[in-house]
Amino acid sequence: MADKRMQFTWDPIALAAQLRNIAGQGQVLMRCFVSHQPDAIKFGMGNRSTLGFDFFELMTRMMIDPVVVASAQIDLFYKTLGIWQKTAERMLMLRAREADASKDKRFKHPEWSENAIFNFVKDNYLVAAETILSAIREVKGMDEASARKVDFYTRQFVDALSPSNFVATNPEVLTATLASGGLNLLRGLENLLADLERGNGRLAITTTDMKAFRLGENIATTPGKIVYQNELMQLIQYAPSTREVRVRPLLIVPPWINKFYVLDLQPKNSFIKWAVDQGHTVFAISWVNPDGKLAEKGLENYMLEGPLAALDAIESATAEHSVNAIGYCLGGTLLAATMAYSAAKGDDRITSATYFTTLVDFTEVGDMAVFIDEAQLASLERRMRERGYLDAQEMATAFNMLRANELIWSFVVSNYLLGKKQVPVDLLFWNSDPTRMPAAMHSFYLRGMYQQNLLAKPGGIRLAGVPIDLSKVRTPTFILAAREDHIAPWKSTYAATRLYSGPIKFVLADAGHMAGVISPPGTKYGHWTNGNLPPSPDEWFASATPHQGSWWPLWDEWVTPLDAGRVPAREPGSGALAIIENAPGSYVRVRSIAS
C-alpha cells in the first residue's frame, strides 16, 4: 500500500514574505529575551550551576565501566538497523503503513504513522531516547541523589529534542506552514512575544484562554461571603442550598502553593458546591498571595492564623464547637500537623480529618527530590532572602517540569509552531494562577519535610512550642491518593496509614494530582477501595476492589455517620461574624503573573 502523502497548495512568494516578517519579529523577540534575563538562569526552583558536578560524576563512572556505553551503542545499532529495514520495505511497498497511531501523545497526528519518512524520524528518536536513558540508568556507583538528578535533567533534554518540537520534523506543523504561507509561525512568534511580556521577560507559557474566565462570574462562583480575615487568609462561608444542614460544619484547608478555587472551578465540577448540596455548611480558607512584608511568616503562623483561627471563627459563626476538616496537598500536611498539635493540647474541635493527595511521610517524593539537595536549597534560600518570598513562576516551572511533555512542550508546539489560540479550560486557568511563598515558611517546609522528613518523626518539629507527633492523632481519618500523582506519589501518601492511631480509610483515585481529586459524579475516572491496610501499598492494591465513577459519594457515606443530625440552614452573617465581602473575596484576586 502506498504511503499517504501530505496534500497542500501554497504560494512561494507569500511564504517568502511571511518568513521575512518572522525574521523581523525574531529580532524583536531576541532583544526582549536577552534584555530580561537574570544573571543565573534557573530551572524551576533549582539552579543549573549545580548540575555540572553530577554529570561529571556520570562521565567518570562511564569511563570506569565502558561496558555500559558499549552495550548501549550495540543495542542502538541493531534497533536503528531494524528501523532502516522497516522504512526501506515501506518505501518499496513491501510493508503496509503502521496500523495504529503511537500511544505517545506527541505523535498522535496520523502522519507520524502513515508517512514512512516521519515514521522513520519518530522511531529513530524514540529508540535513541530509550537508549540514552537506559544507559544512564545502568551506570553503577553514583549516589542516589546524583543519579536521580542526572536522570531527571537528561529526560528534560531528551524531551526537548523530540522531533515534534521542530518545524521541519513535525508533519502537522510543516503542513500548516506550507498551507498558510508561514502565517502559523508568525502568529506563533506573536504568541511568544506576548508570553514573554506576560512573564516580564521570562517565558510564561499560556496554556488556556486567560480572558475567558473571571473570578466570581464564571469560575469560583459558588455563593458565599467572607466572614473573617487576617494577614494570611480570608475565611469563606458558603450559602446553603438545602433547607436543613448537618450539625457539624466542614472546614476546607487548601494548599497555599495555588489558589483555593481548584475545588470550586465551575458548578459541574466544584467539590465545594457539591458538598454544599449534600447539606454541609462549608467554610474554606482562601490564603493570601504574600509579598516581602510576610517574609518571616512560618509554618507555625500558617497553623495559628489558618486552621486554628478558622476554628474560632466557625464557632462564632455557627455556635458549633466541632468540625469535619479536609486538607488538600500542602493544606493536608498543615492539617496533619494541626491535628497533632491539637491532640497534644487536648483540643478536640476537629472530629474527623480528610486528606486529599497529601504527603506527611516524605521518604520518597518522586522527581521533586531533584530540587531539594543542599546546594540547590542554599541557592533558593539566597534568592528568597533577597525578595522575601519564592517567586510564583519558579514554583510553577518546577511543577510543570515534572510533566514536561504535557505541560510545556505540547503548548510550545500548539502556541509557537502551530500559532493556535488557546481554548478555555478552567483547570488550566487555575494552574496559571500560582501564588508566592513566604521565605521563612518555604525554607522550613523544604528542609524540615522534604529534606529531613521530620514531620513523620515523633517530636521531629515543634510548632508554637509543642512537639508534633502524628501517632497521637486518634480521630477518624480518610486518605485519598491518586494513582498517577506526580507531586504526591500515592505509595508515599499510603505511608500515613502507619502513622495515625485512629481508624483510617484509604481510597485510591484514578488519574493525577488534580484530576484524581476533581472527580465529580459522572466522571470517567474510577477508584479503588480495600477495607484492610497491609504494611505495603503494593499489598493494598493487589487485593483492592476497583469501582467505576467518582469517589465523592464514598467520602460522603464515610463522613455522614460521624455527624449528629440536622439543623436549619445557616446563612452567612446570621451568627456572630459580620459579612466582610462576597466570595470569592479579594485575597484570591491578587495575581503573581499577569493574565
Side-chain angles (χ1 to χ4, degrees):
M1 181 186 295
D3 282 317
K4 176 184 176 182
R5 303 297 178 184
M6 296 182 295
Q7 301 294 324
F8 45 77
T9 59
W10 56 285
D11 182 344
I13 297 176
L15 177 60
Q18 293 299 347
L19 291 176
R20 283 196 299 272
N21 289 336
I22 291 168
Q25 287 280 58
Q27 291 178 351
V28 175
L29 167 66
M30 289 306 298
R31 285 197 299 270
C32 175
F33 182 74
V34 171
S35 66
H36 286 84
Q37 288 314 295
D39 294 334
I41 304 298
K42 273 83 69 178
F43 290 107
M45 295 188 298
N47 191 311
R48 70 178 180 182
S49 63
T50 65
L51 296 178
F53 299 104
D54 300 302
F55 278 97
F56 179 78
E57 183 183 355
L58 173 71
M59 298 305 297
T60 301
R61 297 289 178 184
M62 283 183 165
M63 287 187 287
I64 292 173
D65 184 13
V67 174
V68 172
V69 178
S71 298
Q73 290 175 331
I74 294 170
D75 185 55
L76 178 62
F77 172 78
Y78 281 110
K79 287 181 178 178
T80 303
L81 195 63
I83 294 170
W84 274 102
Q85 180 180 352
K86 183 181 75 171
T87 303
E89 289 174 353
R90 287 189 60 181
M91 297 294 286
L92 295 172
M93 300 184 193
L94 300 176
R95 177 195 289 258
R97 66 175 177 84
E98 298 295 315
D100 299 314
S102 172
K103 293 180 181 179
D104 190 322
K105 293 180 181 179
R106 294 174 293 179
F107 307 112
K108 64 181 180 180
H109 191 276
E111 288 286 342
W112 288 111
S113 296
E114 296 174 359
N115 185 291
I117 300 301
F118 288 113
N119 187 257
F120 172 80
V121 171
K122 176 198 69 177
D123 287 350
N124 262 291
Y125 164 75
L126 291 175
V127 164
E130 179 186 3
T131 301
I132 291 170
L133 292 172
S134 296
I136 287 174
R137 291 163 185 166
E138 287 297 319
V139 173
K140 308 299 182 184
M142 293 185 70
D143 69 88
E144 184 178 351
S146 296
R148 185 193 290 271
K149 199 188 304 184
V150 166
D151 181 87
F152 177 79
Y153 284 107
T154 302
R155 276 186 281 133
Q156 301 296 314
F157 174 75
V158 167
D159 289 345
L161 292 181
S162 170
S164 58
N165 297 335
F166 299 92
V167 176
T169 51
N170 185 322
E172 183 180 8
V173 175
L174 189 58
T175 301
T177 302
L178 295 174
S180 69
L183 276 174
N184 58 305
L185 297 180
L186 187 59
R187 288 193 298 264
L189 273 173
E190 291 170 350
N191 291 342
L192 183 55
L193 283 167
D195 285 351
L196 281 168
E197 182 178 0
R198 191 169 71 91
N200 194 27
R202 289 183 298 174
L203 187 59
I205 300 174
T206 300
T207 58
T208 187
D209 182 358
M210 298 299 292
K211 305 296 184 183
F213 296 101
R214 296 169 300 281
L215 290 174
E217 296 182 32
N218 60 357
I219 196 167
T221 59
T222 302
K225 306 291 183 182
I226 306 299
V227 295
Y228 173 83
Q229 68 182 35
N230 57 33
E231 280 191 311
L232 283 181
M233 66 92 167
Q234 289 187 317
L235 185 65
I236 305 172
Q237 180 180 353
Y238 288 94
S241 62
T242 56
R243 294 182 62 184
E244 291 187 325
V245 295
R246 300 162 193 245
V247 171
R248 188 166 291 133
L250 176 65
L251 171 63
I252 297 177
V253 185
W256 53 91
I257 293 176
N258 293 99
K259 305 288 181 68
F260 82 91
Y261 64 89
V262 67
L263 295 173
D264 187 29
L265 294 171
Q266 297 185 78
K268 63 183 180 182
N269 60 0
S270 169
F271 178 83
I272 287 175
K273 180 184 183 303
W274 181 85
V276 168
D277 291 342
Q278 308 315 304
H280 293 278
T281 301
V282 178
F283 290 81
I285 289 174
S286 173
W287 298 104
V288 73
N289 192 352
D291 56 20
K293 296 176 183 177
L294 300 178
E296 298 306 316
K297 293 287 186 179
L299 191 67
E300 179 179 299
N301 299 105
Y302 272 79
M303 179 185 74
L304 296 173
E305 299 174 50
L308 290 179
L311 291 176
D312 294 335
I314 291 170
E315 188 164 1
S316 297
T318 65
E320 285 299 323
H321 177 73
S322 61
V323 306
N324 297 305
I326 293 175
Y328 188 177
C329 186
L330 179 52
T333 307
L334 177 63
L335 177 60
T338 303
M339 295 295 295
Y341 174 88
S342 297
K345 300 285 284 187
D347 184 345
D348 63 353
R349 288 180 293 175
I350 301 177
T351 57
S352 77
T354 296
Y355 301 95
F356 295 166
T357 58
T358 293
L359 286 173
V360 293
D361 185 324
F362 291 75
T363 301
E364 177 52 56
V365 297
D367 283 336
M368 280 297 294
V370 304
F371 300 118
I372 57 171
D373 62 44
E374 183 57 39
Q376 293 194 91
L377 282 183
S379 173
L380 177 65
E381 287 170 336
R382 284 194 298 272
R383 299 200 301 273
M384 289 196 297
R385 281 196 299 270
E386 293 172 2
R387 294 182 295 233
Y389 56 84
L390 174 67
D391 184 84
Q393 193 166 335
E394 291 184 36
M395 176 65 74
T397 300
F399 283 130
N400 289 345
M401 288 174 70
L402 299 180
R403 293 169 57 197
N405 284 327
E406 294 179 48
L407 296 177
I408 297 177
W409 295 113
S410 67
F411 293 107
V412 167
V413 173
S414 176
N415 294 8
Y416 310 143
L417 300 187
L418 293 172
K420 291 183 177 180
K421 291 183 177 180
Q422 291 300 327
V423 297
V425 179
D426 53 11
L427 190 59
L428 291 177
F429 175 86
W430 167 85
N431 194 52
S432 299
D433 189 14
T435 57
R436 298 177 285 265
M437 300 281 169
M441 184 285 302
H442 201 56
S443 179
F444 178 87
Y445 177 65
L446 290 180
R447 287 192 177 277
M449 311 296 182
Y450 273 96
Q451 193 179 57
Q452 301 173 46
N453 197 23
L454 296 179
L455 182 60
K457 301 172 184 177
I461 64 172
R462 298 175 71 90
L463 297 176
V466 175
I468 300 303
D469 184 352
L470 298 181
S471 69
K472 303 297 184 185
V473 178
R474 296 183 173 85
T475 54
T477 298
F478 185 104
I479 300 174
L480 176 80
R483 191 181 184 190
E484 298 175 17
D485 197 331
H486 61 291
I487 295 172
W490 84 266
K491 293 181 181 181
S492 296
T493 64
Y494 186 83
T497 62
R498 322 312 299 172
L499 297 177
Y500 306 126
S501 298
I504 298 172
K505 186 175 184 66
F506 184 88
V507 176
L508 181 63
D510 205 355
H513 192 72
M514 303 305 171
V517 175
I518 312 305
S519 182
T523 182
K524 64 180 180 180
Y525 299 116
H527 59 279
W528 290 263
T529 61
N530 187 341
N532 299 316
L533 294 174
S536 81
D538 291 325
E539 290 179 73
W540 182 92
F541 189 74
S543 57
T545 302
H547 305 273
Q548 293 294 320
S550 173
W551 57 266
W552 292 6
L554 178 67
W555 170 81
D556 199 52
E557 290 173 10
W558 173 83
V559 79
T560 295
L562 304 176
D563 218 327
R566 299 290 190 273
V567 296
R570 309 177 179 104
E571 292 290 341
S574 61
L577 296 182
I579 293 171
I580 298 174
E581 60 179 317
N582 290 330
S586 54
Y587 283 18
V588 74
R589 298 182 188 276
V590 178
R591 293 188 61 88
S592 303
I593 303 173
S595 60

